[in-house]
Amino acid sequence: MVKIGSVAFNSLGKDLIELIHSEGFQIFLDLKFHDIKNTVIKSSLAAAELGVWMINVHSSGGIDMMSGVANAIRKNNYRTLVTGVTILTSLDDKDIKAIGYSDNTKEQVMKMAKLCYDSDLNGIVCSAEEAKAIKNKFKDNLICVCPGIRRAQDCKDDQKRIITPEMAANNGADYIVVGRPIIDSRDPLESLIKIKKEFNNSLEK
C-alpha cells in the first residue's frame, strides 16, 4: 500500500492516483476530511470514486458526520475503507489541553475511538501506543492504522508520540504509516526494507 497525503494530492491530483494504481499499488488517501456532514460525505464519495483502498476523516467531526460517510460509502457499493483520525501523533498532553480537551492523550484517543466504533467505521488512525488498549476494548476488528513510526536511530521530526515498528506490531497495529524515515533516508529502499522486516518479524512472533 502507498499513502498519498495532502501535499502530494494537492500538487498532482488524480493523475498521481492513476499513476500509483497503474503500478499495482493500493492507495491510502490521507486527506483527513473535516467539515460539515454534507461536504465530508461528498468528498469521501469523490475519493471512493477514484478507487482508493482507504480514506480517513477527523473523528472530531462527530458521529453524525462519520456515520453519514460510512453509510454513503456502503450504499454506493464502494469497497473503500473509512478510518477516523483520533489524536494526531504530533500532539501530546500539553497540546490537547491547549486545544480544550480535559483528558490526557490516551483517554481522549479512547473516547474518539468509541465515536468511530459507534459510527460503524472500519477503523481508526492512532498512535501505536494506544493500539493495545483499543484492541482490548473493541473486539470487532477495528483496524488500527498507526503513524508516528520511527526506528530507534531515526529523527523524531515533529512527531511526539512515536514508537518503533517492533513495538507497534507487538501492540496490535494492523498497518503502520512511515514517511520521512524512508523519504529522507540516504537509501530509501534499504530503510523501507529494514522497517518492513522489523514490523513483519514482530507480527510473526
Side-chain angles (χ1 to χ4, degrees):
M1 294 81 173
V2 172
K3 187 197 86 164
I4 295 177
S6 58
V7 175
F9 188 75
N10 288 334
S11 299
L12 299 169
K14 292 194 294 184
D15 289 344
L16 180 59
I17 301 290
E18 293 171 0
L19 173 62
I20 300 300
H21 274 157
S22 72
E23 294 293 331
F25 291 98
Q26 297 184 76
I27 294 173
F28 170 28
L29 189 57
D30 179 24
L31 299 182
K32 301 182 180 72
F33 296 130
H34 191 185
D35 210 309
I36 62 173
K37 176 182 175 180
N38 184 62
T39 299
V40 174
I41 288 175
K42 288 184 176 179
S43 297
S44 299
L45 289 175
E49 180 68 24
L50 298 174
V52 298
W53 163 64
M54 180 186 289
I55 60 173
N56 54 10
V57 300
H58 267 289
S59 59
S60 54
I63 288 179
D64 194 38
M65 181 202 82
M66 290 192 289
S67 62
V69 170
N71 290 334
I73 292 289
R74 295 184 181 105
K75 182 179 179 181
N76 286 275
N77 296 315
Y78 291 120
R79 295 184 178 181
T80 302
L81 300 178
V82 183
T83 57
V85 179
T86 54
I87 298 294
L88 298 173
T89 50
S90 58
L91 304 178
D92 58 16
D93 288 347
K94 181 179 179 181
D95 296 316
I96 69 167
K97 293 285 186 184
I99 291 170
Y101 292 121
S102 57
D103 295 309
N104 63 37
T105 305
K106 183 177 180 179
E107 291 167 342
Q108 191 61 43
V109 167
M110 296 303 293
K111 285 185 175 181
M112 297 298 207
K114 178 68 163 54
L115 292 179
C116 295
Y117 180 80
D118 291 343
S119 300
D120 205 21
L121 298 193
N122 301 106
I124 65 167
V125 180
C126 66
S127 167
E129 289 181 351
E130 295 105 24
K132 181 177 288 187
I134 288 163
K135 290 293 185 179
N136 288 335
K137 185 175 179 62
F138 304 103
K139 302 297 185 180
D140 296 338
N141 299 319
L142 195 66
I143 295 169
C144 285
V145 181
C146 300
I149 303 298
R150 297 290 187 273
R151 296 174 69 218
Q153 63 268 41
D154 290 336
C155 175
K156 292 182 179 181
D157 299 302
D158 56 358
Q159 300 283 11
K160 294 181 180 178
R161 290 169 19 252
I162 62 171
I163 197 165
T164 66
E166 179 181 11
M167 293 169 65
N170 291 338
N171 281 359
D174 296 288
Y175 302 98
I176 56 174
V177 181
V178 189
R180 282 167 290 185
I182 295 171
I183 295 169
D184 294 343
S185 171
R186 291 182 179 179
D187 189 335
L189 180 57
E190 181 184 15
S191 296
L192 172 60
I193 291 171
K194 287 181 178 178
I195 290 168
K196 188 172 186 289
K197 183 177 180 181
E198 184 177 328
F199 182 68
N200 288 343
N201 284 351
S202 297
L203 286 177
E204 294 168 0
K205 289 180 181 179

